[in-house]
Amino acid sequence: MMTTAMNEALPASRRHQNTRHAGSSMRTAERKRIERELRIAATAFEAHEGMMITDADKVILRVNRAFAESSGYTPEEVIGKTPQLFRSHCHGPAFYEELWREVDQKGYWRGEMVTRRKNGELFPVWYTMTGVRGSNGAITNYVTTSTDITRQKKAEKEIGELVFYDPLTKLGNRRLLMDRLQQALTGIRRSGNRGALFFIDLDNFKTLNDTAGHEVGDLLLQQVAKRLGTCIRDGDTVARLGGDEFVVILTDLNAQLEPAMHLARQVGERILETLNMPYELAGQVHLSSPSIGVVMFCKSNETVQELLRHADLAMYQAKAGGRNGLRFFDPAMQTAIKVRADLEAALRQALQRREFVLHYQPQINAEGKLVGAEALVRWQHPQRGLLSPGEFIGVAEESGMVVPLGLQVLEIACEQLVQWARSCTLCDFVLSVNVSARQFHQSEFVEQVLATLQRTGANPKRLKLELTESLLLDNVEDTITKMTTLRSHGVSFALDDFGIGYSSLSYLKRLPLDQLKIDQSFVRTVLSDANDAAIAKMIVALGQTMGLTVIAEGVETQEQRDFLLESGCIVYQGYYFGRPMPTEQFEAFLRNIECLEETSTLIHRCMQAGKPDGERSLRAA
């Protein structure tokens, strides 16, 4: 109030002067504010993002330095032109119509667009286009900001390649394969045409990796990938599943099965031919071949995983057939695989439940005396009854279960030896147990045998281990060391199926063997095949020369036994003397043998005492 009063007390001229000064100060402040905002706007306009301003008719009024650098045009070259100057023709008229419609309705548009530089190069840009409206609400200008996203797109592509492509071969990986295969299934169910899935595995690839190194192996994989690409049509798919496994998908072959299979076979044969051509790897020529499994697919309800599994099964059939071949999937393959899988699972349970039993086949010398027996495994299956080794040993070998099975057989045999040792009638012979090559080559095999003998209390001198000739092919020195160690504890050794394998006499003479077994394949035809007869005689002579006993297996007739006896073989095993028998039956057989031996001894003594009727009376008894 005092200020107002003082102001009113001033002369009128002075009051007018103060008012003029105040207005001038306000105009100066306003001008400075506008100048500051203009400087800010100018700085923003020259930011890193490209900017372009057009009038309502889309004629370019101004562009900033970033826009000029990105487009390759100078401002003078674009001012007065329209944005059509930058069109790449990658987008149709509908794209631009929708763009301008959004700007008019929403006031802005954001999106990705492919643009053309002055030099003709196309590049991706992220645009934000805004309509500037006047006081009457009509658009007076368009302001566009643009960001070159070439690097971003390149990074996205690289990430996509890492996710969906194999970095070594540049082929699609498993993830992309599964997606493409699902698309193929969907498309074929609509079209009705059949497709084919190829599962390709390179033969002996591991050998190349192990001998030449992984770098050379990678070179082969890269060349295989390129060759596969030349064998297929546009629209088909080649992928690397992993390792040395590749997959090819063919679609739209034919609606009928036979023509579709014919086309698929043509492609498969082309792949075989192409991949069999020589490769140049690190200056060396290398030969390689594929094994190919093919499964046809159509409108069925098969899944992606089922198709891959079926093609894989067919590929393994190609390998089993000698490699470097092509096999089509047959549903019988699936049945066989299921039977095998069920058998393998049952085998594992049988080991846990100890369902395996031993049958014993006698070994008789020329005097009719029992000198040994071979323990032969049988499976007391809870549903199928007694199974012979031929029904399960193959699966046990392939699955690795032959090792625990062999240990279980050895343990049962040693426990039986201990029981028989309590009876003088049953203790005077050697029990033979078969040992697989896989079991023998276990690093702890010797320790396992000795531990079993110690745990059961069996006499090592009553145990003979039968080895096959195939066992001699790997690490002979290790074989000799193991045999020597066990032999020092009293365990003896026989070489089973002698003559049908690849025995080297130089190795044979070094092995601490006790016995050779003439294989039954020679014995069976020894009377009708001169070659087999000669081989049998040669094995007998070899055994005698090396100080080894020789036993003939598979003796089924008196005539075979007589021939072998004349040839110098004095120990026999076969149906003529007795089939493999369960424990109780074998023990009864032993008691009968004992009675016959006692009777024979009494007859011999009576005849020596001059009692010619003694033989007749004793036999009658």
Side-chain angles (χ1 to χ4, degrees), residues 182-388:
Q182 187 60 59
Q183 290 181 27
L185 281 172
T186 303
I188 278 176
R189 286 165 186 158
R190 286 198 303 263
S191 68
N193 288 329
R194 296 176 183 267
L197 178 68
F198 292 69
F199 200 110
I200 304 166
D201 183 272
L202 302 183
D203 299 329
N204 303 311
F205 179 73
K206 183 178 184 299
T207 302
L208 175 66
N209 260 349
D210 292 344
T211 55
H214 289 272
E215 297 83 1
V216 176
D218 287 348
L219 291 176
L220 176 63
L221 294 175
Q222 290 172 334
Q223 292 191 31
V224 167
K226 290 179 180 178
R227 293 188 185 188
L228 286 174
T230 66
C231 297
I232 62 172
R233 309 162 302 176
D234 291 341
D236 294 332
T237 298
V238 182
R240 182 186 176 203
L241 195 58
D244 62 333
E245 296 176 338
F246 296 84
V247 173
V248 171
I249 305 172
L250 306 183
T251 56
D252 292 329
L253 294 176
N254 196 290
Q256 301 300 316
L257 179 59
E258 286 191 12
M261 286 186 68
H262 178 70
L263 292 172
R265 184 177 294 279
Q266 286 182 329
V267 174
E269 290 173 351
R270 191 183 311 138
I271 291 173
L272 278 171
E273 180 183 358
T274 304
L275 298 191
N276 267 277
M277 293 178 181
Y279 298 83
E280 184 175 341
L281 307 176
Q284 299 293 322
V285 176
H286 176 74
L287 297 177
S288 179
S289 64
S291 293
I292 306 174
V294 186
V295 61
M296 306 299 296
F297 58 94
C298 55
K299 291 183 177 181
S300 64
N301 293 322
E302 288 178 305
T303 65
V304 167
Q305 293 294 348
E306 286 172 336
L307 287 177
L308 284 171
R309 185 167 62 250
H310 292 167
D312 189 32
L313 289 176
M315 182 274 292
Y316 276 107
Q317 287 293 316
K319 282 195 179 292
R323 304 176 189 269
N324 193 23
L326 180 145
R327 292 288 187 278
F328 280 85
F329 172 75
D330 185 333
M333 294 180 186
Q334 181 71 12
T335 302
I337 292 296
K338 185 178 186 308
V339 169
R340 186 193 182 284
D342 291 345
L343 181 60
E344 185 174 330
L347 266 175
R348 295 188 188 280
Q349 288 188 339
L351 283 168
Q352 296 173 356
R353 298 171 181 174
R354 299 184 71 86
E355 294 174 355
F356 296 98
V357 296
L358 296 185
H359 283 201
Y360 304 92
Q361 186 170 31
Q363 297 172 340
I364 308 296
N365 66 10
E367 299 174 354
K369 182 180 179 181
L370 181 80
V371 294
E374 182 178 0
L376 299 165
V377 67
R378 302 288 188 268
W379 181 3
Q380 192 64 57
H381 195 284
Q383 285 83 39
R384 299 170 59 190
L386 196 67
L387 303 182
S388 66

Side-chain angles (χ1 to χ4, degrees), residues 538-595:
M538 181 197 69
I539 294 173
V540 172
L542 179 64
Q544 292 172 345
T545 301
M546 299 180 67
L548 306 174
T549 62
V550 178
I551 179 173
E553 61 179 350
V555 180
E556 298 182 354
T557 67
Q558 175 72 39
E559 292 76 17
Q560 291 173 342
R561 181 261 189 193
D562 291 344
F563 174 86
L564 292 164
L565 178 59
E566 291 174 5
S567 302
C569 180
I570 58 173
V571 185
Y572 323 99
Q573 176 182 341
Y575 286 178
Y576 179 68
F577 300 96
R579 293 174 176 267
M581 297 168 263
T583 305
E584 298 78 6
Q585 188 178 341
F586 181 72
E587 290 174 351
F589 175 85
L590 292 181
R591 286 190 287 270
N592 290 336
I593 287 286
E594 183 70 17
C595 290

Side-chain angles (χ1 to χ4, degrees), residues 1-11 15:
M1 293 181 62
M2 184 178 296
T3 304
T4 303
M6 290 177 62
N7 211 17
E8 289 177 349
L10 290 175
R15 289 200 306 271

Side-chain angles (χ1 to χ4, degrees), residues 357-363 372-378 389 393 405-406 408-417 420 429-435 462-466 496 517 553 573 579-583 586:
V357 296
L358 296 185
H359 283 201
Y360 304 92
Q361 186 170 31
Q363 297 172 340
E374 182 178 0
L376 299 165
V377 67
R378 302 288 188 268
I393 283 296
L405 175 58
Q408 198 169 110
V409 167
L410 178 65
E411 186 173 11
I412 295 171
C414 288
E415 290 172 348
Q416 189 61 65
L417 278 175
W420 284 337
F429 66 90
V430 176
L431 184 60
S432 299
V433 176
N434 290 283
V435 176
R462 297 297 177 194
L463 177 64
K464 181 183 292 180
L465 300 181
E466 291 194 5
D496 196 11
K517 294 191 76 172
E553 61 179 350
Q573 176 182 341
R579 293 174 176 267
M581 297 168 263
T583 305
F586 181 72

